[in-house]
Amino acid sequence: MKSKPVIMEHFSTVHTSFVIDFSFTNNVTILTGDSGTGKTVVYSFIKECMAVNADILCLNYLDYQRDIKDIISNTEGKLIVIDNADILLDDDTRKYISLDNRNQYLIIGRNPKNLFVTKENLFEVVSRKRGEQTELSLKEYL
C-alpha cells in the first residue's frame, strides 16, 4: 500500500559520529533486516529526538503492558515509531495502522503481517562511512 507521508517526508539527526538521514515515501514504512543491522540503534536515536520534536512518538518493548491500539487511536499528527513491532502489535492493531490517515508510522520488526505491505514500503538500514561519521539511511528491502 502506497500513500504519501502525512507528517514528514524527511527525518535527519546527528548523534555523536552517526548521522541518520531518512526519506519517507509512504505513510507506513516497515524497517526490517537481520539482527545487528542498526534497527534498534536507529530507534534509540529517534527516541532521543522525541524530547525536542513534538511530532514524534516512540513505543518499544517497555510499552508491552500498555494498550498500543488505544495509544495510537488517541494520537493525531505524529510520526509513530514502533520498535519490537513483532511482539507489540496484534493483528487488530496492525490493521488499524494500515488504514490510519492521521499519523505516519515507522514500524521496526521482521513480521509485516496485516500491515498491507508492498515493496514500496519495506526497507532496511544501510550504513556508509563518510570520514569520521557513519551515515544511516533507508534502502528498499526487496
Side-chain angles (χ1 to χ4, degrees):
M1 178 170 84
K2 182 168 178 154
S3 61
K4 186 176 171 150
V6 295
I7 307 304
M8 62 180 71
E9 293 182 4
H10 187 257
F11 174 82
S12 65
T13 188
V14 177
H15 184 283
T16 60
S17 62
F18 292 93
V19 176
I20 294 179
D21 189 26
F22 286 1
S23 292
F24 297 112
T25 57
N26 296 284
N27 198 42
V28 177
T29 300
I30 313 296
L31 184 56
T32 191
D34 294 331
S35 294
T37 57
K39 298 182 303 293
T40 298
V41 167
V42 165
Y43 173 83
S44 298
F45 295 160
I46 295 173
K47 185 169 181 166
E48 285 183 9
C49 292
M50 185 175 75
V52 294
N53 187 336
D55 292 338
I56 299 173
L57 171 65
C58 293
L59 303 166
N60 71 359
Y61 69 93
L62 297 173
D63 299 297
Y64 183 70
Q65 299 291 331
R66 299 173 69 195
D67 184 345
I68 302 299
K69 184 178 178 190
D70 185 56
I71 293 169
I72 62 178
S73 64
N74 289 305
T75 301
E76 185 171 348
K78 304 271 188 192
L79 170 64
I80 300 175
V81 183
I82 303 173
D83 193 16
N84 308 110
D86 297 344
I87 59 169
L88 281 182
L89 303 179
D90 60 26
D91 286 346
D92 190 45
T93 305
R94 289 167 182 265
K95 290 175 186 174
Y96 179 86
I97 288 170
S98 296
L99 301 171
D100 184 6
N101 62 359
R102 300 175 314 133
N103 296 295
Q104 183 176 336
Y105 295 87
L106 176 59
I107 308 293
I108 303 171
R110 291 191 185 96
N111 180 3
K113 179 184 171 193
N114 287 328
L115 287 168
F116 305 131
V117 175
T118 65
K119 70 177 197 163
E120 284 84 20
N121 57 349
L122 195 57
F123 292 86
E124 63 184 328
V125 176
V126 292
S127 63
R128 289 181 204 88
K129 192 80 167 152
R130 295 187 188 253
E132 296 296 315
Q133 293 185 315
T134 301
E135 181 180 290
L136 303 172
S137 59
L138 297 177
K139 174 185 148 193
E140 289 184 358
Y141 186 69
L142 299 174

